[in-house]
Amino acid sequence: MTFELTVLGSSSALPTSTKYPAAHVLNVHERFFLIDCGEGTQIQLRKAKIRFSRIHHIFISHMHGDHVFGLLGLFSTFDLLGRKVPLHVYGPPELCNLIDFYRQYFGAGSLYTIEIHPLHKRTDQKIYEDKIVEIHAFPLKHRITTFGFLFREKNRPLNIKKDKITEFNLNFEQIITAKTGNDIRMGNGRLIPNALVTELQNKSRSFAYCSDTAFYEKNIDILKDVDLLYHEATFMDTDKKLAKQTGHSTARQAATMAKLSNAKQLLIGHFSNRYKDPLSILAEASDIFADTLMAEELKKYPVELKRDSARR
Ligand SMILES: [Zn+2]
């Protein structure tokens, strides 16, 4: 089952001739969640061959332009493509004003509704759930109200081995019993061990998105054991004063968060354009946290289960 992040934009502040501002798509079992929507997001979606009709949920971390300037163009394109199904947008309350503005000036004749889900609470909150994934929002530490997002697969029921259904002539009730992890009592009194008829399942995988934010130890518990942590690394340690002033993190701080929260893998991004050698940013983080990757646009990053996948 797919669980992977596609980076659409890796730059902070400005688009350049080679880089786009923040935008990412998380594919969870073919559900596509757009996380932040900087300028040019729809162009990058096309390059990544992600169909617009697959996007039903957009998560906006905060109301800085490099995270939202792509929204209005995307809304408009949805209209031009004849979208009819609702679009759900999650983000800070100020997002309502931006969407009202769109509706007032550009939304006449729109065939689809934009459902806004303003995030208010200053603590961890579940904001979305379906049968395969649940999504939480939690506060980050930036110059304005900003939220991070945690995506967690739900534990899936055990798989029944098809040949065992035939071999033991299992009925519907017995299959449900096995899927919930129990042994099966046969009509003749024989007990069939669960492990004999079911297959090992992976535990749930998780992905967390933290951008924009200063180093914020309060989130260590929320991020605990996350399989893939995306953390901004706008600056390098030589500019840590600037990072503090602007509510951003250095590569060293991003790696420290990964280490303290026992993340399994770190992906850094949201790079300042002042650094001409991106590999030096990666090296700074890797010194602290070895399993660090650097965001490259249009590249896919699978969320992998790195913990032991022992049976529950
Ligand atoms: Zn920002």
Side-chain angles (χ1 to χ4, degrees), residues 200-231:
L200 280 174
Q201 279 277 24
N202 285 339
K203 286 182 180 172
S204 60
R205 295 166 288 184
S206 56
F207 165 73
Y209 178 82
C210 295
S211 187
D212 294 351
T213 186
F215 183 70
Y216 196 39
E217 279 183 301
K218 270 191 184 172
N219 281 337
I220 288 170
D221 280 348
I222 293 167
L223 301 175
K224 192 142 192 62
D225 297 329
V226 69
D227 292 299
L228 178 63
L229 170 63
Y230 175 96
H231 199 289

PDB file of all heavy atoms in Angstrom, residues 200-231:
ATOM      1  N   LEU A 200       1.049 -11.834   8.344  1.00  0.00           N
ATOM      2  CA  LEU A 200       1.602 -10.710   9.084  1.00  0.00           C
ATOM      3  C   LEU A 200       1.216  -9.391   8.432  1.00  0.00           C
ATOM      4  O   LEU A 200       1.235  -9.262   7.221  1.00  0.00           O
ATOM      5  CB  LEU A 200       3.131 -10.782   9.102  1.00  0.00           C
ATOM      6  CG  LEU A 200       3.767 -11.730  10.103  1.00  0.00           C
ATOM      7  CD1 LEU A 200       5.260 -11.784   9.878  1.00  0.00           C
ATOM      8  CD2 LEU A 200       3.474 -11.252  11.524  1.00  0.00           C
ATOM      9  N   GLN A 201       0.872  -8.439   9.232  1.00  0.00           N
ATOM     10  CA  GLN A 201       0.549  -7.108   8.728  1.00  0.00           C
ATOM     11  C   GLN A 201       1.596  -6.125   9.207  1.00  0.00           C
ATOM     12  O   GLN A 201       2.104  -6.234  10.317  1.00  0.00           O
ATOM     13  CB  GLN A 201      -0.803  -6.648   9.295  1.00  0.00           C
ATOM     14  CG  GLN A 201      -1.978  -7.216   8.574  1.00  0.00           C
ATOM     15  CD  GLN A 201      -2.289  -6.399   7.335  1.00  0.00           C
ATOM     16  OE1 GLN A 201      -1.417  -5.720   6.803  1.00  0.00           O
ATOM     17  NE2 GLN A 201      -3.519  -6.457   6.882  1.00  0.00           N
ATOM     18  N   ASN A 202       1.904  -5.175   8.370  1.00  0.00           N
ATOM     19  CA  ASN A 202       2.748  -4.085   8.847  1.00  0.00           C
ATOM     20  C   ASN A 202       2.000  -3.274   9.885  1.00  0.00           C
ATOM     21  O   ASN A 202       0.791  -3.150   9.830  1.00  0.00           O
ATOM     22  CB  ASN A 202       3.108  -3.152   7.684  1.00  0.00           C
ATOM     23  CG  ASN A 202       4.151  -3.777   6.796  1.00  0.00           C
ATOM     24  OD1 ASN A 202       4.872  -4.670   7.219  1.00  0.00           O
ATOM     25  ND2 ASN A 202       4.216  -3.309   5.579  1.00  0.00           N
ATOM     26  N   LYS A 203       2.756  -2.733  10.810  1.00  0.00           N
ATOM     27  CA  LYS A 203       2.139  -1.768  11.715  1.00  0.00           C
ATOM     28  C   LYS A 203       1.880  -0.491  10.929  1.00  0.00           C
ATOM     29  O   LYS A 203       2.358  -0.330   9.814  1.00  0.00           O
ATOM     30  CB  LYS A 203       3.076  -1.484  12.879  1.00  0.00           C
ATOM     31  CG  LYS A 203       3.158  -2.604  13.890  1.00  0.00           C
ATOM     32  CD  LYS A 203       4.062  -2.190  15.019  1.00  0.00           C
ATOM     33  CE  LYS A 203       4.169  -3.290  16.052  1.00  0.00           C
ATOM     34  NZ  LYS A 203       5.199  -2.976  17.048  1.00  0.00           N
ATOM     35  N   SER A 204       1.152   0.426  11.538  1.00  0.00           N
ATOM     36  CA  SER A 204       0.825   1.651  10.825  1.00  0.00           C
ATOM     37  C   SER A 204       2.068   2.517  10.656  1.00  0.00           C
ATOM     38  O   SER A 204       2.958   2.525  11.496  1.00  0.00           O
ATOM     39  CB  SER A 204      -0.256   2.405  11.584  1.00  0.00           C
ATOM     40  OG  SER A 204       0.201   2.714  12.863  1.00  0.00           O
ATOM     41  N   ARG A 205       2.123   3.211   9.528  1.00  0.00           N
ATOM     42  CA  ARG A 205       3.223   4.138   9.263  1.00  0.00           C
ATOM     43  C   ARG A 205       2.752   5.563   9.541  1.00  0.00           C
ATOM     44  O   ARG A 205       1.545   5.844   9.529  1.00  0.00           O
ATOM     45  CB  ARG A 205       3.655   4.008   7.799  1.00  0.00           C
ATOM     46  CG  ARG A 205       4.246   2.660   7.468  1.00  0.00           C
ATOM     47  CD  ARG A 205       4.354   2.429   5.979  1.00  0.00           C
ATOM     48  NE  ARG A 205       3.045   2.214   5.369  1.00  0.00           N
ATOM     49  CZ  ARG A 205       2.852   1.911   4.089  1.00  0.00           C
ATOM     50  NH1 ARG A 205       3.881   1.800   3.275  1.00  0.00           N
ATOM     51  NH2 ARG A 205       1.644   1.724   3.609  1.00  0.00           N
ATOM     52  N   SER A 206       3.719   6.454   9.765  1.00  0.00           N
ATOM     53  CA  SER A 206       3.336   7.829  10.092  1.00  0.00           C
ATOM     54  C   SER A 206       4.279   8.827   9.429  1.00  0.00           C
ATOM     55  O   SER A 206       5.451   8.538   9.186  1.00  0.00           O
ATOM     56  CB  SER A 206       3.331   8.040  11.609  1.00  0.00           C
ATOM     57  OG  SER A 206       4.596   7.712  12.152  1.00  0.00           O
ATOM     58  N   PHE A 207       3.716   9.995   9.164  1.00  0.00           N
ATOM     59  CA  PHE A 207       4.473  11.085   8.540  1.00  0.00           C
ATOM     60  C   PHE A 207       4.093  12.378   9.256  1.00  0.00           C
ATOM     61  O   PHE A 207       2.919  12.631   9.511  1.00  0.00           O
ATOM     62  CB  PHE A 207       4.105  11.199   7.055  1.00  0.00           C
ATOM     63  CG  PHE A 207       4.564  12.488   6.435  1.00  0.00           C
ATOM     64  CD1 PHE A 207       5.918  12.698   6.164  1.00  0.00           C
ATOM     65  CD2 PHE A 207       3.664  13.506   6.143  1.00  0.00           C
ATOM     66  CE1 PHE A 207       6.356  13.896   5.609  1.00  0.00           C
ATOM     67  CE2 PHE A 207       4.095  14.706   5.587  1.00  0.00           C
ATOM     68  CZ  PHE A 207       5.445  14.898   5.318  1.00  0.00           C
ATOM     69  N   ALA A 208       5.084  13.200   9.579  1.00  0.00           N
ATOM     70  CA  ALA A 208       4.800  14.500  10.209  1.00  0.00           C
ATOM     71  C   ALA A 208       5.423  15.620   9.396  1.00  0.00           C
ATOM     72  O   ALA A 208       6.512  15.463   8.822  1.00  0.00           O
ATOM     73  CB  ALA A 208       5.341  14.526  11.634  1.00  0.00           C
ATOM     74  N   TYR A 209       4.720  16.732   9.369  1.00  0.00           N
ATOM     75  CA  TYR A 209       5.141  17.901   8.589  1.00  0.00           C
ATOM     76  C   TYR A 209       5.301  19.085   9.538  1.00  0.00           C
ATOM     77  O   TYR A 209       4.341  19.486  10.201  1.00  0.00           O
ATOM     78  CB  TYR A 209       4.067  18.196   7.541  1.00  0.00           C
ATOM     79  CG  TYR A 209       4.343  19.419   6.694  1.00  0.00           C
ATOM     80  CD1 TYR A 209       5.191  19.343   5.592  1.00  0.00           C
ATOM     81  CD2 TYR A 209       3.748  20.640   6.980  1.00  0.00           C
ATOM     82  CE1 TYR A 209       5.445  20.453   4.801  1.00  0.00           C
ATOM     83  CE2 TYR A 209       3.995  21.760   6.196  1.00  0.00           C
ATOM     84  CZ  TYR A 209       4.843  21.661   5.105  1.00  0.00           C
ATOM     85  OH  TYR A 209       5.096  22.760   4.322  1.00  0.00           O
ATOM     86  N   CYS A 210       6.508  19.628   9.616  1.00  0.00           N
ATOM     87  CA  CYS A 210       6.770  20.759  10.505  1.00  0.00           C
ATOM     88  C   CYS A 210       7.411  21.906   9.722  1.00  0.00           C
ATOM     89  O   CYS A 210       8.626  21.933   9.519  1.00  0.00           O
ATOM     90  CB  CYS A 210       7.708  20.352  11.641  1.00  0.00           C
ATOM     91  SG  CYS A 210       7.016  19.139  12.755  1.00  0.00           S
ATOM     92  N   SER A 211       6.585  22.833   9.258  1.00  0.00           N
ATOM     93  CA  SER A 211       7.091  23.989   8.510  1.00  0.00           C
ATOM     94  C   SER A 211       5.981  25.041   8.468  1.00  0.00           C
ATOM     95  O   SER A 211       4.854  24.693   8.124  1.00  0.00           O
ATOM     96  CB  SER A 211       7.469  23.582   7.097  1.00  0.00           C
ATOM     97  OG  SER A 211       8.100  24.627   6.410  1.00  0.00           O
ATOM     98  N   ASP A 212       6.237  26.269   8.850  1.00  0.00           N
ATOM     99  CA  ASP A 212       7.513  26.796   9.310  1.00  0.00           C
ATOM    100  C   ASP A 212       7.559  26.766  10.835  1.00  0.00           C
ATOM    101  O   ASP A 212       6.537  26.979  11.475  1.00  0.00           O
ATOM    102  CB  ASP A 212       7.664  28.244   8.861  1.00  0.00           C
ATOM    103  CG  ASP A 212       7.760  28.386   7.340  1.00  0.00           C
ATOM    104  OD1 ASP A 212       7.872  27.389   6.652  1.00  0.00           O
ATOM    105  OD2 ASP A 212       7.689  29.525   6.858  1.00  0.00           O
ATOM    106  N   THR A 213       8.772  26.596  11.352  1.00  0.00           N
ATOM    107  CA  THR A 213       8.879  26.582  12.809  1.00  0.00           C
ATOM    108  C   THR A 213      10.314  26.806  13.277  1.00  0.00           C
ATOM    109  O   THR A 213      11.260  26.389  12.607  1.00  0.00           O
ATOM    110  CB  THR A 213       8.368  25.234  13.377  1.00  0.00           C
ATOM    111  OG1 THR A 213       8.353  25.299  14.812  1.00  0.00           O
ATOM    112  CG2 THR A 213       9.224  24.053  12.939  1.00  0.00           C
ATOM    113  N   ALA A 214      10.397  27.475  14.418  1.00  0.00           N
ATOM    114  CA  ALA A 214      11.668  27.500  15.139  1.00  0.00           C
ATOM    115  C   ALA A 214      11.817  26.160  15.858  1.00  0.00           C
ATOM    116  O   ALA A 214      10.882  25.349  15.878  1.00  0.00           O
ATOM    117  CB  ALA A 214      11.665  28.649  16.143  1.00  0.00           C
ATOM    118  N   PHE A 215      12.966  25.916  16.415  1.00  0.00           N
ATOM    119  CA  PHE A 215      13.170  24.708  17.224  1.00  0.00           C
ATOM    120  C   PHE A 215      12.153  24.728  18.366  1.00  0.00           C
ATOM    121  O   PHE A 215      12.040  25.708  19.092  1.00  0.00           O
ATOM    122  CB  PHE A 215      14.598  24.725  17.781  1.00  0.00           C
ATOM    123  CG  PHE A 215      14.940  23.510  18.574  1.00  0.00           C
ATOM    124  CD1 PHE A 215      15.105  22.286  17.953  1.00  0.00           C
ATOM    125  CD2 PHE A 215      15.107  23.596  19.948  1.00  0.00           C
ATOM    126  CE1 PHE A 215      15.425  21.155  18.694  1.00  0.00           C
ATOM    127  CE2 PHE A 215      15.420  22.472  20.685  1.00  0.00           C
ATOM    128  CZ  PHE A 215      15.578  21.254  20.053  1.00  0.00           C
ATOM    129  N   TYR A 216      11.393  23.644  18.522  1.00  0.00           N
ATOM    130  CA  TYR A 216      10.264  23.682  19.451  1.00  0.00           C
ATOM    131  C   TYR A 216      10.146  22.334  20.155  1.00  0.00           C
ATOM    132  O   TYR A 216       9.444  21.425  19.702  1.00  0.00           O
ATOM    133  CB  TYR A 216       8.991  23.993  18.659  1.00  0.00           C
ATOM    134  CG  TYR A 216       7.814  24.442  19.488  1.00  0.00           C
ATOM    135  CD1 TYR A 216       7.962  25.281  20.581  1.00  0.00           C
ATOM    136  CD2 TYR A 216       6.520  24.043  19.143  1.00  0.00           C
ATOM    137  CE1 TYR A 216       6.871  25.702  21.318  1.00  0.00           C
ATOM    138  CE2 TYR A 216       5.413  24.464  19.869  1.00  0.00           C
ATOM    139  CZ  TYR A 216       5.600  25.287  20.954  1.00  0.00           C
ATOM    140  OH  TYR A 216       4.512  25.708  21.688  1.00  0.00           O
ATOM    141  N   GLU A 217      10.821  22.258  21.290  1.00  0.00           N
ATOM    142  CA  GLU A 217      10.900  20.981  22.007  1.00  0.00           C
ATOM    143  C   GLU A 217       9.552  20.455  22.471  1.00  0.00           C
ATOM    144  O   GLU A 217       9.397  19.253  22.678  1.00  0.00           O
ATOM    145  CB  GLU A 217      11.831  21.128  23.219  1.00  0.00           C
ATOM    146  CG  GLU A 217      13.298  21.013  22.852  1.00  0.00           C
ATOM    147  CD  GLU A 217      14.187  21.097  24.077  1.00  0.00           C
ATOM    148  OE1 GLU A 217      14.101  22.132  24.764  1.00  0.00           O
ATOM    149  OE2 GLU A 217      14.952  20.164  24.333  1.00  0.00           O
ATOM    150  N   LYS A 218       8.577  21.369  22.633  1.00  0.00           N
ATOM    151  CA  LYS A 218       7.257  20.937  23.112  1.00  0.00           C
ATOM    152  C   LYS A 218       6.647  19.861  22.218  1.00  0.00           C
ATOM    153  O   LYS A 218       5.761  19.126  22.644  1.00  0.00           O
ATOM    154  CB  LYS A 218       6.307  22.142  23.140  1.00  0.00           C
ATOM    155  CG  LYS A 218       6.307  22.895  24.442  1.00  0.00           C
ATOM    156  CD  LYS A 218       5.172  23.882  24.454  1.00  0.00           C
ATOM    157  CE  LYS A 218       5.218  24.705  25.720  1.00  0.00           C
ATOM    158  NZ  LYS A 218       4.256  25.801  25.704  1.00  0.00           N
ATOM    159  N   ASN A 219       7.084  19.805  20.965  1.00  0.00           N
ATOM    160  CA  ASN A 219       6.454  18.853  20.038  1.00  0.00           C
ATOM    161  C   ASN A 219       7.116  17.469  20.016  1.00  0.00           C
ATOM    162  O   ASN A 219       6.712  16.613  19.229  1.00  0.00           O
ATOM    163  CB  ASN A 219       6.440  19.439  18.619  1.00  0.00           C
ATOM    164  CG  ASN A 219       5.314  20.450  18.468  1.00  0.00           C
ATOM    165  OD1 ASN A 219       4.342  20.403  19.203  1.00  0.00           O
ATOM    166  ND2 ASN A 219       5.463  21.364  17.529  1.00  0.00           N
ATOM    167  N   ILE A 220       8.087  17.277  20.876  1.00  0.00           N
ATOM    168  CA  ILE A 220       8.797  15.987  20.870  1.00  0.00           C
ATOM    169  C   ILE A 220       7.822  14.826  21.099  1.00  0.00           C
ATOM    170  O   ILE A 220       7.892  13.799  20.408  1.00  0.00           O
ATOM    171  CB  ILE A 220       9.919  15.976  21.930  1.00  0.00           C
ATOM    172  CG1 ILE A 220      11.064  16.883  21.449  1.00  0.00           C
ATOM    173  CG2 ILE A 220      10.449  14.565  22.170  1.00  0.00           C
ATOM    174  CD1 ILE A 220      12.116  17.156  22.489  1.00  0.00           C
ATOM    175  N   ASP A 221       6.898  14.995  22.027  1.00  0.00           N
ATOM    176  CA  ASP A 221       5.957  13.902  22.319  1.00  0.00           C
ATOM    177  C   ASP A 221       5.054  13.607  21.125  1.00  0.00           C
ATOM    178  O   ASP A 221       4.778  12.450  20.812  1.00  0.00           O
ATOM    179  CB  ASP A 221       5.089  14.249  23.537  1.00  0.00           C
ATOM    180  CG  ASP A 221       5.859  14.004  24.828  1.00  0.00           C
ATOM    181  OD1 ASP A 221       6.937  13.367  24.752  1.00  0.00           O
ATOM    182  OD2 ASP A 221       5.408  14.471  25.887  1.00  0.00           O
ATOM    183  N   ILE A 222       4.573  14.656  20.489  1.00  0.00           N
ATOM    184  CA  ILE A 222       3.673  14.449  19.339  1.00  0.00           C
ATOM    185  C   ILE A 222       4.402  13.730  18.208  1.00  0.00           C
ATOM    186  O   ILE A 222       3.834  12.888  17.513  1.00  0.00           O
ATOM    187  CB  ILE A 222       3.135  15.811  18.844  1.00  0.00           C
ATOM    188  CG1 ILE A 222       2.211  16.428  19.901  1.00  0.00           C
ATOM    189  CG2 ILE A 222       2.382  15.675  17.522  1.00  0.00           C
ATOM    190  CD1 ILE A 222       1.888  17.875  19.669  1.00  0.00           C
ATOM    191  N   LEU A 223       5.674  14.055  18.048  1.00  0.00           N
ATOM    192  CA  LEU A 223       6.443  13.492  16.934  1.00  0.00           C
ATOM    193  C   LEU A 223       7.087  12.148  17.272  1.00  0.00           C
ATOM    194  O   LEU A 223       7.724  11.535  16.413  1.00  0.00           O
ATOM    195  CB  LEU A 223       7.544  14.475  16.514  1.00  0.00           C
ATOM    196  CG  LEU A 223       7.059  15.858  16.067  1.00  0.00           C
ATOM    197  CD1 LEU A 223       8.243  16.774  15.800  1.00  0.00           C
ATOM    198  CD2 LEU A 223       6.186  15.746  14.824  1.00  0.00           C
ATOM    199  N   LYS A 224       6.884  11.703  18.479  1.00  0.00           N
ATOM    200  CA  LYS A 224       7.602  10.514  18.957  1.00  0.00           C
ATOM    201  C   LYS A 224       7.462   9.320  18.012  1.00  0.00           C
ATOM    202  O   LYS A 224       6.370   8.954  17.605  1.00  0.00           O
ATOM    203  CB  LYS A 224       7.094  10.138  20.357  1.00  0.00           C
ATOM    204  CG  LYS A 224       7.940   9.113  21.048  1.00  0.00           C
ATOM    205  CD  LYS A 224       8.057   9.432  22.547  1.00  0.00           C
ATOM    206  CE  LYS A 224       9.130   8.603  23.204  1.00  0.00           C
ATOM    207  NZ  LYS A 224      10.480   8.853  22.671  1.00  0.00           N
ATOM    208  N   ASP A 225       8.602   8.755  17.628  1.00  0.00           N
ATOM    209  CA  ASP A 225       8.676   7.530  16.816  1.00  0.00           C
ATOM    210  C   ASP A 225       8.117   7.681  15.400  1.00  0.00           C
ATOM    211  O   ASP A 225       7.840   6.673  14.737  1.00  0.00           O
ATOM    212  CB  ASP A 225       7.953   6.363  17.508  1.00  0.00           C
ATOM    213  CG  ASP A 225       8.604   5.996  18.832  1.00  0.00           C
ATOM    214  OD1 ASP A 225       9.829   6.167  18.950  1.00  0.00           O
ATOM    215  OD2 ASP A 225       7.873   5.535  19.731  1.00  0.00           O
ATOM    216  N   VAL A 226       7.926   8.892  14.938  1.00  0.00           N
ATOM    217  CA  VAL A 226       7.357   9.074  13.600  1.00  0.00           C
ATOM    218  C   VAL A 226       8.303   8.444  12.560  1.00  0.00           C
ATOM    219  O   VAL A 226       9.527   8.488  12.695  1.00  0.00           O
ATOM    220  CB  VAL A 226       7.095  10.576  13.321  1.00  0.00           C
ATOM    221  CG1 VAL A 226       8.402  11.369  13.188  1.00  0.00           C
ATOM    222  CG2 VAL A 226       6.243  10.750  12.078  1.00  0.00           C
ATOM    223  N   ASP A 227       7.727   7.833  11.545  1.00  0.00           N
ATOM    224  CA  ASP A 227       8.558   7.135  10.553  1.00  0.00           C
ATOM    225  C   ASP A 227       9.280   8.094   9.613  1.00  0.00           C
ATOM    226  O   ASP A 227      10.431   7.862   9.271  1.00  0.00           O
ATOM    227  CB  ASP A 227       7.686   6.155   9.751  1.00  0.00           C
ATOM    228  CG  ASP A 227       7.210   5.020  10.630  1.00  0.00           C
ATOM    229  OD1 ASP A 227       8.064   4.284  11.142  1.00  0.00           O
ATOM    230  OD2 ASP A 227       5.995   4.892  10.847  1.00  0.00           O
ATOM    231  N   LEU A 228       8.590   9.123   9.163  1.00  0.00           N
ATOM    232  CA  LEU A 228       9.254  10.138   8.334  1.00  0.00           C
ATOM    233  C   LEU A 228       8.866  11.514   8.859  1.00  0.00           C
ATOM    234  O   LEU A 228       7.678  11.847   8.928  1.00  0.00           O
ATOM    235  CB  LEU A 228       8.839  10.012   6.863  1.00  0.00           C
ATOM    236  CG  LEU A 228       9.441  11.068   5.924  1.00  0.00           C
ATOM    237  CD1 LEU A 228      10.971  10.971   5.861  1.00  0.00           C
ATOM    238  CD2 LEU A 228       8.865  10.937   4.502  1.00  0.00           C
ATOM    239  N   LEU A 229       9.869  12.278   9.235  1.00  0.00           N
ATOM    240  CA  LEU A 229       9.636  13.644   9.724  1.00  0.00           C
ATOM    241  C   LEU A 229      10.127  14.623   8.667  1.00  0.00           C
ATOM    242  O   LEU A 229      11.317  14.629   8.322  1.00  0.00           O
ATOM    243  CB  LEU A 229      10.408  13.869  11.033  1.00  0.00           C
ATOM    244  CG  LEU A 229      10.464  15.318  11.545  1.00  0.00           C
ATOM    245  CD1 LEU A 229       9.070  15.844  11.878  1.00  0.00           C
ATOM    246  CD2 LEU A 229      11.378  15.432  12.775  1.00  0.00           C
ATOM    247  N   TYR A 230       9.192  15.417   8.116  1.00  0.00           N
ATOM    248  CA  TYR A 230       9.611  16.541   7.284  1.00  0.00           C
ATOM    249  C   TYR A 230       9.772  17.729   8.218  1.00  0.00           C
ATOM    250  O   TYR A 230       8.818  18.120   8.903  1.00  0.00           O
ATOM    251  CB  TYR A 230       8.561  16.862   6.199  1.00  0.00           C
ATOM    252  CG  TYR A 230       8.931  18.100   5.403  1.00  0.00           C
ATOM    253  CD1 TYR A 230       9.593  17.983   4.183  1.00  0.00           C
ATOM    254  CD2 TYR A 230       8.667  19.380   5.878  1.00  0.00           C
ATOM    255  CE1 TYR A 230       9.972  19.113   3.461  1.00  0.00           C
ATOM    256  CE2 TYR A 230       9.045  20.513   5.172  1.00  0.00           C
ATOM    257  CZ  TYR A 230       9.690  20.368   3.970  1.00  0.00           C
ATOM    258  OH  TYR A 230      10.075  21.484   3.262  1.00  0.00           O
ATOM    259  N   HIS A 231      10.970  18.295   8.257  1.00  0.00           N
ATOM    260  CA  HIS A 231      11.198  19.456   9.116  1.00  0.00           C
ATOM    261  C   HIS A 231      11.922  20.521   8.321  1.00  0.00           C
ATOM    262  O   HIS A 231      12.891  20.223   7.619  1.00  0.00           O
ATOM    263  CB  HIS A 231      12.034  19.061  10.342  1.00  0.00           C
ATOM    264  CG  HIS A 231      11.938  20.044  11.478  1.00  0.00           C
ATOM    265  ND1 HIS A 231      12.516  21.301  11.422  1.00  0.00           N
ATOM    266  CD2 HIS A 231      11.332  19.973  12.689  1.00  0.00           C
ATOM    267  CE1 HIS A 231      12.270  21.939  12.555  1.00  0.00           C
ATOM    268  NE2 HIS A 231      11.546  21.156  13.338  1.00  0.00           N
TER     269      HIS A 231
END
